[in-house]
Each structure stands twice: as C-alpha cells, then as structure tokens.
Amino acid sequence: MSENKKKYKGTYFISSISLTSAIVEYGISSIFILSLLYVLHFSTPLASQTYAYYYGLAYLLPILIGYLSDKYLSKSRALTIGFVVMILSQLFLSFSTSLYQPSNIEYNSYFFSIQNISYALGLFFLAVGAGFTNLSITHIINSINDKETSVHAFSLYYPILNLGVMLGAILMSVIIGEENYYMYKWTFLLFAIILIIGLIVFHLLKNKYLVDNKGKLMKDEHSKNSILEESNKLLGKISSKSILEIKNLNLKERLVLFNSSLGKIEKDRLTVFLIFLLIIIFYRIAYSQTSVSMVFFIDIFVERNLYNYEVPVQLFFMLNPLFILILSPILMKFNNMINERKIEFGFIERTIVALLIIVLCFAMLSALGYYLDIDGTDKISIIWIPIVEFMVAISELLFSIAGYSLVGDLAPEKYYSLFFGLFLATRSISMYLSGKLSILFPTDGNPTFHMNIPINGLMNYFLIIVTMTLIAVIILYSLRKMLRRKMHLDKLIQ
C-alpha cells in the first residue's frame, strides 16, 4: 500500500461502508415518486405532497439526531443504530409493496390501510436511519483527519458516495425494469441484505482499518455533557461571565450575550451568510425538481424507446451522479488553473453561474413544453434528458463548492457547527417547498393555479422555476458589492 493510501486508509474504509447505505438511500429515491404513483396509487398532487413531507422531515431530523448522538452515543454506535433502523425500514417497505395490486383508482387524500401505514413507517425509519448513518460517517471522517487532510478526505468520500447513488439507480432498473411494480418487495429485501453486509463488514474490520491519518485507532467516545452544559461552556469561553453566572440567564439574556460576543466583522459575515441561506433555498427548490416533477415529465412526456428497449424512468437517476463523477476531476483542474492565474471566481461568482445554468436548463424545458400537448400524446426525444442532467450536474458542483467554502470562510470558529447546521437545515425547507411546487405540475387538461395564474401547460410550470431562480440571480448580483465588502476577504487567513 502506498504512503498516500496508508494515510487515508480509514477514510477509504468508512467511505466504502457508506457506499452500502448510499446504494439503499438513493436507490429508493430513484423510485420514490413512482412507488407512490403506481404502487400506492396516489394522485400526482398527493405524491408531490408526500415528497414534500418526507424530505422536509428527512433533512430536519439530522439536527436533532446530531444532538442526541453527541450526548449519548459513540460514533460507531450511532452508525450501528442508523444501519439497524434502515434495515427495519426496508422490511416495512418490502411488506407494504408486497400488497401491491394493479388498479386504475387514483387517491387524492391519505387514508388508513395496512399498506399505507407500513409504507409510512418504512419512510420514517429510513429518514431516522439515514440521519444517524450520514452524520456518523461524516463525523468519523472529520475525527480521523486533521485540517490538512480533511479536504482531501472528503474529496475521496464524495465520488464514492456518488458511485453508490449511481449503483442504487442501476440496481432498481436491472431488478425492476419497466412497470414491474410487483418486484419492489424483492428490491427492498435486497437492500436490507446489502445493509446487513455493510454493518457486518464494519464491525469485523473497524479495529483494523478505522484509523486516523497517523495510523492510530479512532477514538470512539461521546460527550458526557448535556446540550445545555455544552452551551454554557461555549458561552463561558466567549464572554467574561463565569459558567455559574451564565446558568442563571434566561433565553433572551443568552441571545444578548451571544450577540455581544460577535465583533463587527463577524456580524457582517453573519449578514452575508443569512442572505446566502435565502439564495440556497431558491436554488434547492429548483434543483430538487429533478427528483420530483422531472419524474412526472420523463414518465409522461419523454419517448423512452431506445432500439426496442423501454428505458426505465429510474435509470435516468444514474445520470446526475455519473456526470458528477466525470466532471469532478475536470472542475478540480479548472479550480487549480484559475487559482494559478489569480482569476477572481469566488463563491458569489460561482453561485451566480450555478443559478444561471439552472435558469437556462428550465428555460429550455419551458421551450420544449410549449410544443408538447398537455394530454401527453406528443413526446420529446430521450436525448434531452441527458442534456438537462449534464447542466444540472455542472450547476450542482459549482453551487456545492460555493456553499461549503462559504461556511468554512465566514463561520466564526466558535460557531462553526451552528452555521453548518443552518446551512444543512435549508435543505429541509427547500425540499418541502419543492414538493409543494410540484403539486402544480400539469399532467392532464385541467389547469392548476399559482397566485391566481392558471398553469395549463408545461411552459407555464417551468417558467415559474425560471422566474424564481432569476429573482435569486438579481438579488445576488445587485448585492454582490455589499456582500463582498461585508465578507472582509482581506481578513481571512490564507
């Protein structure tokens, strides 16, 4: 083993374990909408609403799970709980889909049945399990790497994660194929087996491979203090008050103390950060449409016959991670090139370009929608979908790099976790709003309404996303000079 591989042995090991959970988590996301539409027989608006509720919860839960894990659980125990809960989720989902019966009935509201209750429990356990698993994996990667190696460690982890995303979509397509909904039960059982294998491998080999970049076995302890005690310690470090005095403060007084602990530069950067959170929500609402309304679009309006083979809808979900895997090293070389030439291409420029690519992407879909009949008799060529996914992948890479670098550059050392938690929490809000927006997706001749504007075609629907994203571009571009000034880039440690 080379010296570099030895240095990142622990990172390679935990990333390979994360591969199993990624296959399951993202494999399910590739057929999430399809299972709601054709197994549970939900209407399009009800499926969109369910998407909103589930992903809103799924991205909010890690905040609570993170607190619980820090207080009560070691990192490996948190990962074990995550895997076990995810395995239970697969059993519930398998049981629910085993009750599948073909039907032309469409349900417009929730109702109690064994199938629906089992499916809901499966989704809840999946959200909880994925929260534990993802947090513990990133926590482990952070703990076995220092500041010098953490960036490279995550650059190793990210492609492996996307490989799992791609494999999950391929597995769903190979096993299920097109419209074989009775096969879902076997897929969920396979996913349970994959998780069991990942958990067994983790426990058998963790004491050998889960080492830090210096070859020492990972420390696997947890904080013995409560959240309130940790808060008191933090406030004690940043103020002249003793912890005993802080314990007697009420919430309002604690907030005043928190505010007084921030200097002018930190307050300016906090302003930039909060504005950027708003931009994130705009971006994520648009980006998330690729996993909800685009499913409706591909299913209804895309000609998927390719040399007498009907391409399954879920197979399209492998395109985004595939393009990310291909584009990641190219983007790294691009970053090195602009750094060497000292070209200004910071988070503001990256974000504006990422947003404009999304605008162009949905403007193209809107133009295509103009030529499509709303009853679905006309279909577009399959070639348009890889073009859309390629554009989305470029946008996502630019935006993710901008987001993570923003948190790293602007977050005060003492509040890094708080800032990063807020950054991740925006996904919950945006995924929820994305699902709510997709309720308006037109699938028949009946118009839907948004702010009293009739949406009776695909062009109108996609123009909403174009308009919304353009507003974000205008806000960011208009404020760019003020934001750059309040970032105090000259004060950042290089």
Side-chain angles (χ1 to χ4, degrees):
M1 183 180 290
S2 67
E3 192 63 33
N4 190 54
K5 287 186 176 180
K6 282 182 181 179
K7 193 174 185 179
Y8 295 101
K9 183 168 72 170
T11 301
Y12 279 114
F13 173 69
I14 196 61
S15 297
S16 65
I17 298 300
S18 76
L19 181 70
T20 59
S21 64
I23 289 172
V24 174
E25 188 180 353
Y26 292 98
I28 290 172
S29 72
S30 72
I31 55 96
F32 183 73
I33 291 293
L34 295 175
S35 63
L36 295 175
L37 291 174
Y38 301 117
V39 178
L40 302 185
H41 307 295
F42 285 6
S43 65
T44 299
L46 188 60
S48 296
Q49 186 167 293
T50 305
Y51 176 95
Y53 291 150
Y54 171 72
Y55 281 105
L57 174 69
Y59 283 103
L60 199 59
L61 273 176
I63 298 173
L64 174 62
I65 289 170
Y67 286 143
L68 294 175
S69 297
D70 285 345
K71 174 169 169 46
Y72 298 109
L73 302 170
S74 64
K75 293 180 279 291
S76 60
R77 187 168 294 177
L79 186 142
T80 300
I81 290 174
F83 267 75
V84 170
V85 174
M86 285 182 74
I87 290 166
L88 285 175
S89 77
Q90 302 311 294
L91 299 179
F92 275 108
L93 291 172
S94 179
F95 174 72
S96 175
T97 52
S98 70
L99 302 176
Y100 163 71
Q101 292 292 333
S103 174
N104 292 322
I105 298 173
E106 227 180 43
Y107 298 104
N108 293 305
S109 60
Y110 298 113
F111 66 96
F112 289 102
S113 69
I114 293 176
Q115 184 181 36
N116 285 357
I117 292 171
S118 299
Y119 200 91
L121 286 171
L123 290 181
F124 177 75
F125 283 130
L126 178 63
V128 173
F132 272 106
T133 303
N134 295 334
L135 279 172
S136 59
I137 286 170
T138 53
H139 194 181
I140 288 170
I141 293 174
N142 270 316
S143 66
I144 61 178
N145 289 279
D146 52 31
K147 289 184 178 180
E148 293 179 357
T149 62
S150 61
V151 173
H152 187 67
F154 277 102
S155 71
L156 294 174
Y157 165 71
Y158 196 60
I160 294 174
L161 177 69
N162 277 280
L163 178 61
V165 177
M166 189 171 66
L167 289 175
I170 292 173
L171 272 176
M172 297 305 284
S173 301
V174 170
I175 296 173
I176 296 171
E178 180 68 19
E179 299 182 359
N180 297 323
Y181 306 117
Y182 62 91
M183 293 291 290
Y184 278 31
K185 59 184 178 183
W186 301 115
T187 307
F188 291 128
L189 285 177
L190 175 63
F191 282 164
I193 293 169
I194 289 172
L195 288 168
I196 290 169
I197 292 171
L199 187 57
I200 291 172
V201 170
F202 174 72
H203 279 281
L204 287 177
L205 301 178
K206 68 175 183 175
N207 290 332
K208 181 179 180 181
Y209 291 104
L210 200 51
V211 296
D212 63 22
N213 55 358
K214 295 176 182 176
K216 295 180 180 178
L217 197 64
M218 179 191 74
K219 293 181 180 179
D220 200 17
E221 73 285 342
H222 63 86
S223 172
K224 295 179 172 58
N225 295 320
S226 68
I227 297 168
L228 188 59
E229 287 169 331
E230 291 290 345
S231 170
N232 291 338
K233 283 173 61 181
L234 180 62
L235 288 173
K237 287 179 181 178
I238 62 177
S239 74
S240 58
K241 292 182 180 292
S242 68
I243 293 178
L244 184 61
E245 290 177 284
I246 293 168
K247 285 183 177 180
N248 296 323
L249 299 178
N250 58 34
L251 179 60
K252 185 177 180 180
E253 290 169 331
R254 285 168 180 263
L255 290 174
V256 170
L257 181 59
F258 169 82
N259 184 58
S260 66
S261 73
L262 296 173
K264 183 184 184 306
I265 291 177
E266 290 175 325
K267 287 180 180 178
D268 282 349
R269 288 176 179 169
L270 179 59
T271 301
V272 176
F273 185 76
L274 293 176
I275 292 172
F276 190 69
L277 290 186
L278 177 65
I279 302 298
I280 289 175
I281 292 172
F282 274 102
Y283 176 83
R284 287 288 170 197
I285 291 172
Y287 174 78
S288 300
Q289 293 303 309
T290 58
S291 57
V292 51
S293 63
M294 281 300 293
V295 176
F296 305 143
F297 183 75
I298 294 169
D299 189 36
I300 301 170
F301 298 106
V302 175
E303 178 54 64
R304 291 181 283 118
N305 277 315
L306 194 63
Y307 301 109
N308 297 321
Y309 172 67
E310 185 80 5
V311 181
V313 175
Q314 59 268 25
L315 192 60
F316 290 94
F317 274 75
M318 68 164 281
L319 292 175
N320 186 265
L322 176 62
F323 287 139
I324 286 176
L325 284 171
I326 294 170
L327 291 169
S328 290
I330 298 173
L331 190 62
M332 287 178 70
K333 289 183 178 179
F334 172 75
N335 288 332
N336 292 334
M337 181 191 74
I338 62 174
N339 287 335
E340 288 172 1
R341 299 186 181 184
K342 296 182 179 181
I343 298 172
E344 180 64 37
F345 195 60
F347 96 90
I348 294 176
E349 291 78 14
R350 289 177 190 274
T351 304
I352 289 174
V353 172
L355 288 165
L356 286 174
I357 292 172
I358 287 290
V359 168
L360 181 61
C361 177
F362 282 97
M364 183 177 68
L365 287 171
S366 180
L368 290 170
Y370 178 79
Y371 294 99
L372 289 169
D373 291 334
I374 197 61
D375 61 5
T377 55
D378 291 336
K379 294 179 184 288
I380 63 168
S381 168
I382 195 174
I383 193 64
W384 288 105
I385 305 306
I387 293 172
V388 168
E389 292 292 348
F390 182 79
M391 293 169 69
V392 169
I394 296 174
S395 175
E396 168 65 3
L397 279 170
L398 286 171
F399 195 85
S400 294
I401 291 172
Y404 284 107
S405 64
L406 173 82
V407 178
D409 288 346
L410 301 188
E413 183 78 21
K414 54 200 172 190
Y415 296 129
Y416 182 84
S417 296
L418 174 63
F419 274 53
F420 197 73
L422 288 171
F423 173 67
L424 294 178
T426 57
R427 286 199 171 193
S428 175
I429 299 169
S430 55
M431 294 293 270
Y432 176 80
L433 294 175
S434 177
K436 286 296 186 181
L437 175 63
S438 64
I439 292 174
L440 303 173
F441 186 85
T443 57
D444 51 37
N446 299 317
T448 55
F449 291 86
H450 179 69
M451 297 174 64
N452 295 321
I453 301 172
I455 301 170
N456 50 12
L458 291 166
M459 183 182 75
N460 296 35
Y461 177 79
F462 288 125
L463 276 178
I464 291 176
I465 303 170
V466 170
T467 305
M468 176 188 66
T469 314
L470 267 177
I471 290 171
V473 173
I474 292 168
I475 291 172
L476 189 56
Y477 185 79
S478 302
L479 299 177
R480 70 192 189 284
K481 292 182 180 178
M482 181 270 286
L483 293 175
R484 193 174 286 113
R485 186 174 65 253
K486 286 185 175 292
M487 285 171 66
H488 298 280
L489 295 174
D490 56 317
K491 300 293 193 301
L492 292 174
I493 298 172
Q494 300 300 323

